[in-house]
Amino acid sequence: MTDRSPSAEVEHSLLPATIIAGEPGYVLADRMEHYRVPAVSIAVIQDRKILWANQYGVRDVRDPEPVTETTMFNVGSMSKAVTSATILSLARDGLIDLNAPVNEQLRSWTLPENDFTSRAPVTPLRLMNHSAGTVFSPGFSYRTEDLPTFQQLLEGEPPARSGPVRVDRVPGTTFQYSNPGYAVLRKLAEDVTGKEFPEIAAERIFEPLEMTHTSFVTPLPPAMLANAAMGHRTDGAVDAEVRRWIGHMAAGGLWTTAADYAVFVIEIQRTLRGESNLVLDQNLAKLMVEPHDASEYGLGVFLREPRGERRYVGHIGDGPGFVGGFTADTLGDYGVVVLTNGQGGINLVREIRRGVASVYDWPDNLPPTLTAVTPATGILEKVAGRYRLGFDQAIALDLAEDALWLQTSSGSALKLFAVGDSTFVCKEREGEITIERGDDGSVNEMTYDLSDDIGRRTSAKTLPRMAPGERTPLEILLDGDTSEATALYRALLESDPSAPAVAENRLNRLGYSFLAQGRADDAVAVLRLYVALYPDSSNAHDSLGEALMTTGQLEAAKTSYRRSLELNPANGNA
C-alpha cells in the first residue's frame, strides 16, 4: 500500500481480465469514461465490517447532481440473493418446506404439471438453485403505465413480454437460469404469508438489518424515486426518457445502495460463522453457499470452486441502464459491492473487484500473472488475417505497431500479447488464442478460447483462416446485398431452426448492439432480416420500427409499429 487513502489506492489499481507482468493497471476515472458509465458506488468489506464506501460521478448525465451514499441503484439479478434469504427465513419459521413440491405449498396459483414434472418435483430449493427446470426468460423491463400485473407475468399474458411460467426440463437434472422460477418463489412467499413480497422482504431482511435505502417496491415510491439514479445505455446516454422497471420483481427488481447491500452480505458472512441469526440460522446460511443439483450455483449466488474452507460467492446483476456485482468469501474475511448506472459497466465492475482483491491481498482470487515473450521472427505476419467463427462471424487479427490486434464487434481493437510460441492473450478478455502451424510454418487455423465483450466464456472453437475476399453472411448483409444474405440465413433457419445465428433473441440483440454503437443503418439491415425470417413476430416489427425511427424513416417506422400492434395489440411500446 502507498500513502494514498484506502479508496484512492483502489481507484488507481483496477485490473484487467488477464494480468500481464509489466503492464499497468487502470484508473477508475479513466475506465468510467472508457465504458461511458456516469456513476459508480463501491463498498469494501473486511472482517465482516464495511471498511470503506465511496461514490463517484453523477446520478443522471443531464444533471450535475453527484451520487451520494444514499443514492439507490437497480441491482438486477443481485436481487436473487436477497430473495433467497427471504425464502430461507420463511423456511426457518416453518412456513415453507424447501424440499417439498412447490405445488403442495402454493395456494392461489399452480405451476402447470407436465411430463417433466411427473419425473421429479419442482421444489423451492431447486427454484432458488436454478435447477427446477423452469423456463429461461430475459429480465424484461416496462414503463410504469405498461407494467403487467403479477398474474399476467405468471401466465405470460399481455402486456407481459415473457412467456408463461412453465417447466421445460426435468427438475433436478441441469442448471437453467430462470427469472420466471423466482416469480414462483415470490408467489409462494405471498401465499404462505398473505402479504405482498416487498413487505415480506422488508420485514424479514431490510428492517432487521436497518437497510433503510433498499426496496423491492415496483415502481419505487416517490420519496425513494427522488433519490434513485437514472440508468444509462452503453453509449452513455440516458436509457429512456421515462423510468423502466423489472417485471420479475423477485428476480431483478431490487433497488439499493452499495453500503446497504454490503450490510446484507456481511450478515450472511456473520451467520455462516455463527455470530448472528438476525435473518437466518447457520445451517440455512450454509445452504445458500453450497452446491445443490446445479453445482455452479448455490441459492441466489454463483459459486467458485472452494480452496480449503474458503469459497468465493457472488453475482452480477443488470437492469435497464444499470449493472452491479458483488463478491464475498464464506469465511467472512473479504467482500466488495460495486454498483453502476451504466449498461456498459459489467467489465468495470469486474475490474474494480480485481483491484480490491489485489490491494487487500485476497487469497486465491486473482488470475495468475503472465509474462509476455517476443514471438519468433515472421510469426506475426503469418498469424495476421481473418478467421471464420461460426455461421456468420469473422475474427480479424491485424498487424500494426509490431503487434497483433484483435478487431472486436464493437469496432475497437485489443492488443494481443504472445505468452508462448503459439499462444496469445489480451488484457481485456479471459482465455487465449492458440495458432496451429502446418509443416511449412503456415497458419491455416486457430483455436479461439476468449471471453466475449461482456465476459461470457464458451467452449474453445477451431476457426479456419478465411480466403482473401471471402465474406460472411453478416458482412454480405451489411454490404447491402440483402437478397443474397437473406437467402443464406433463411436456408440455415429451414435446415436448423435452433441454430444460434438465426435465433430471434440473437438477431434482436445484434440490431440493438448496432444502435448502441451509432450504426443505425446496420441496425436497420439486421432488423429487416429479423422481420424477413420471423414475419409474425410482433417484437421483430417493433424493433425495426425503433431502428427506422432512429434513422429518420418515420413513415416506414409507423408501418412497422402498426404491424407490431396488429400482431400484439397489447404492445405498449408500439
Side-chain angles (χ1 to χ4, degrees), residues 141-144 161 239-240 242-246 255 320-321:
S141 61
Y142 303 86
R143 297 179 302 179
T144 301
R161 287 183 284 144
D239 182 63
V242 294
R243 294 276 182 179
R244 292 189 293 131
W245 311 98
I246 298 295
W255 287 76

Side-chain angles (χ1 to χ4, degrees), residues 8-320:
E9 188 71 21
V10 170
E11 292 162 26
H12 289 80
S13 303
L14 276 59
L15 291 175
T18 296
I19 302 171
I20 300 171
E23 283 291 307
Y26 301 136
V27 175
L28 175 60
D30 296 339
R31 299 310 277 174
M32 289 175 64
E33 182 177 354
H34 174 78
Y35 291 117
R36 298 184 173 124
V37 171
V40 174
S41 185
I42 304 171
V44 173
I45 298 166
Q46 187 162 291
D47 298 328
R48 299 170 305 289
K49 297 178 181 177
I50 295 179
L51 186 64
W52 58 265
N54 214 345
Q55 300 77 40
Y56 311 84
V58 297
R59 290 173 27 169
D60 186 329
V61 291
R62 301 167 301 181
D63 186 337
E65 183 179 355
V67 290
T68 70
E69 67 275 7
T70 63
T71 302
M72 299 170 68
F73 295 72
N74 176 248
V75 298
S77 286
M78 291 167 64
S79 307
K80 292 179 172 69
V82 178
T83 292
S84 293
T86 304
I87 297 298
L88 290 170
S89 78
L90 294 168
R92 178 198 61 188
D93 293 347
L95 296 174
I96 288 175
D97 185 334
L98 297 177
N99 295 301
V102 72
N103 273 345
E104 294 180 2
Q105 304 178 71
L106 289 164
R107 300 170 187 172
S108 64
W109 178 83
T110 299
L111 180 64
E113 303 281 357
N114 56 25
D115 290 342
F116 299 111
T117 60
S118 69
R119 297 164 62 183
V122 173
T123 67
L125 190 144
R126 284 174 171 162
L127 287 164
M128 288 185 283
N129 182 236
H130 291 305
S131 58
T134 45
V135 294
F136 167 81
S137 175
F140 288 111
S141 61
Y142 303 86
R143 297 179 302 179
T144 301
E145 59 268 30
D146 299 325
L147 192 64
T149 66
F150 190 18
Q151 188 67 26
Q152 288 170 331
L153 281 168
L154 290 170
E155 296 299 340
E157 298 170 347
R161 287 183 284 144
S162 53
V165 181
R166 299 291 185 265
V167 176
D168 65 358
R169 299 188 184 191
V170 177
T173 61
T174 187
F175 174 83
Q176 176 165 264
Y177 195 83
S178 179
N179 288 316
Y182 272 72
V184 180
L185 291 168
R186 171 187 169 187
K187 172 56 74 174
L188 176 61
E190 294 183 348
D191 277 1
V192 301
T193 63
K195 300 177 180 179
E196 295 293 319
F197 187 76
E199 181 183 359
I200 303 166
E203 289 180 352
R204 292 180 169 269
I205 309 295
F206 309 149
E207 291 170 8
L209 300 183
E210 298 182 2
M211 297 167 63
T212 56
H213 297 93
T214 302
S215 179
F216 269 115
V217 175
T218 305
L220 281 176
M224 286 186 163
L225 185 59
N227 203 32
M230 197 73 182
H232 298 78
R233 302 191 307 249
T234 54
D235 63 359
V238 169
D239 182 63
E241 290 302 315
V242 294
R243 294 276 182 179
R244 292 189 293 131
W245 311 98
I246 298 295
H248 289 302
M249 172 202 298
L254 184 69
W255 287 76
T256 187
T257 67
D260 263 15
Y261 200 93
V263 168
F264 167 73
V265 173
I266 290 168
E267 178 63 20
I268 300 303
Q269 290 179 319
R270 295 186 67 223
T271 306
L272 286 168
R273 293 172 61 97
E275 297 172 353
S276 179
N277 60 1
L278 281 176
V279 298
L280 301 177
D281 62 39
Q282 189 176 30
N283 289 331
L284 289 171
K286 288 179 178 178
L287 279 182
M288 281 192 72
V289 299
E290 294 174 350
H292 300 282
D293 290 328
S295 60
E296 64 266 57
Y297 205 81
L299 306 181
V301 294
F302 280 97
L303 311 177
R304 294 192 189 180
E305 286 297 318
R307 302 292 181 89
E309 295 182 353
R310 189 187 309 276
R311 183 198 291 276
Y312 289 94
V313 304
H315 219 299
I316 290 286
D318 70 290

Side-chain angles (χ1 to χ4, degrees), residues 475-489:
E475 289 169 332
I476 292 171
L477 177 72
L478 300 184
D479 284 345
D481 299 328
T482 306
S483 297
E484 179 184 353
T486 302
L488 291 170
Y489 281 100

Side-chain angles (χ1 to χ4, degrees), residues 65 179-180 184 207 210 259 265 365 387 391 445 462 468 480 495 566:
E65 183 179 355
N179 288 316
V184 180
E207 291 170 8
E210 298 182 2
V265 173
N365 191 273
Y387 299 79
F391 174 74
E445 64 181 26
T462 299
S495 64
E566 290 172 3

Side-chain angles (χ1 to χ4, degrees), residues 373-384 387 418-424 433-447 462-463 465:
V373 300
T374 302
T377 302
I379 191 63
L380 297 185
E381 289 80 2
K382 293 178 180 178
V383 174
Y387 299 79
V419 293
D421 289 342
S422 303
T423 305
F424 296 83
I433 292 172
T434 306
I435 62 170
E436 306 293 336
R437 283 183 278 189
D439 294 338
D440 61 354
S442 62
V443 177
N444 297 315
E445 64 181 26
M446 70 173 175
T447 300
T462 299
L463 278 54
R465 180 187 285 274

